[in-house]
Amino acid sequence: MSLQVEKLEHNMAKLTIEVAAEEVEKALQAAYLKERKKISLPGFRKGKVPRQMIEKMYGPEIFYDDAANSMISEAYGKAYDECELEIASQPKIDVVQLEKGKPFIFTAEVAVKPEVTLGEYKGLKVDKYSTRVTQKEVDEEIEKERERNARTIEVTDRAVQDKDIVTLDFEGFVDGVAFDGGKGTDYPLTIGSGSFIPGFEEQLIGAEIDKETEVNVTFPEDYQSKDLAGKAATFKCTVHAIKAKELPELDDEFASDVSECETLEDYRAEVKKNIKERKEREGKEKREDQAVEQAVENAQMDIPQPMIDLQVRQMVDDFARRVQQQGLSLEQYFQFTGMTVEKMMEEMKPQAEKRIRTRLVLEAVVKAENIAISDERLDEELQKMAESYQMEVEKLKEFMGENEKAQMKDDIAVQEAVTLISDAAVEA
């Protein structure tokens, strides 16, 4: 195999790869052996037709596609290793010459990882984020915990109140005529949830069990059903059951039930501490994001389009895996949402480019600052990972090859670059 590399503009390159004629013959023979069982000719048993006879009947091109695919896969892999380019996209293959008795020649156009010219990445100005915790924030957090620990009780001695969970029948009418989709039976609704159109839930407050109540509303102008958009409607509703949340008493017993604290006072202190730690984490993340974003803006690079396209495809694949974890295929998701893969890919392009730019800049900072990750540091991270997976670190290492370990070192180095940029930033 021979290889020629031609650098193109916008960080693209063209690899011209030539495979010797004898290798072409081997590939054609392999294609024949693979396909001969499917071919039959009068006078020959199926699978026993000589190659020369097949080529005479159908032309030598009959085996070209299989042979080409085989040679491209192997030869491109070798070229990838030999060319010393940091290839950052799938190749665009173009066959130049494929003929029996002659060398096989094809080209592979690829994107090359662009060089980054760093701008300022130290001393950048970032906002100051307060970690002060107010009493109101503590009270709100405790109230959320009370809501999570509330029990639901059946109510029979009063009318509907805000935040009640009701079970109701309803039927909607426009100009006195019932409309499709406007009827429900034993429908569960939380008052104040905003599940129904504006004004509906509020008018159920005061409704009594098993007594019909009229609710008058107007559908929004942008309502999904054009037949109903902007129209006034009357719903005849009957509440059959009312349930309410009963919050636990705010005392020492509640504190001990929801935490390791024995008193409400200690629990309040713990909640305040947790909120402060959360604010510190969020402030650190915002500071890092703001500083890195500026460093990326200050840098210059020319990203080839195929590199962005590859990132977009990877993002779509990641999204598909997340959807599948929820029990849906990507095709079902598209049916339910009206989205298409083309539209999704187009919408993902800006985010894909941002990810690439950010990674390239951080890698350039790693190089400029000579950030190196030792084996000992890697072992520390592997130990943390093993603990999160609840497995022995040596067992985890068995699953990781050298490439995975090298990639992990690169990722740790990139995070070190984030920390360096953030620590060097100045609060405005």
Side-chain angles (χ1 to χ4, degrees), residues 163-218:
K163 296 184 180 178
D164 281 347
I165 305 165
V166 301
T167 302
L168 76 155
D169 297 343
F170 61 87
E171 186 170 13
F173 300 83
V174 171
D175 296 330
V177 179
F179 57 86
D180 290 341
K183 187 174 184 178
T185 303
D186 290 334
Y187 193 93
L189 175 65
T190 300
I191 306 301
S193 64
S195 302
F196 278 29
I197 58 177
F200 186 100
E201 294 168 27
E202 292 86 340
Q203 292 181 57
L204 285 177
I205 294 175
E208 297 180 8
I209 293 175
D210 292 332
K211 289 186 178 181
E212 189 176 280
T213 301
E214 279 196 1
V215 171
N216 297 295
V217 293
T218 300

Side-chain angles (χ1 to χ4, degrees), residues 33 88 92 119 129 139 158 177 185 195 209 231 243 256 296 304 308 328 331 352 405-406 412:
L33 294 174
K92 181 183 176 184
Y129 295 98
D139 291 342
R158 64 166 174 79
V177 179
T185 303
S195 302
I209 293 175
K231 291 186 177 179
K243 292 181 180 179
S256 62
V296 173
I308 298 173
L328 286 176
E331 290 73 21
K405 290 178 183 178
I412 297 170

Side-chain angles (χ1 to χ4, degrees), residues 139-163:
D139 291 342
E140 287 175 348
E141 194 68 31
I142 291 175
E143 195 61 25
K144 288 178 186 176
E145 192 62 40
R146 289 182 74 203
E147 288 278 353
R148 285 192 286 269
N149 286 271
R151 67 189 185 100
T152 303
I153 58 171
E154 192 86 27
V155 176
T156 58
D157 58 352
R158 64 166 174 79
V160 175
Q161 295 179 0
D162 191 24
K163 296 184 180 178

Side-chain angles (χ1 to χ4, degrees), residues 8-22:
L8 309 175
E9 59 182 9
H10 301 304
N11 289 304
M12 297 293 293
K14 183 165 75 172
L15 313 182
T16 301
I17 303 163
E18 183 174 319
V19 179
E22 53 266 30

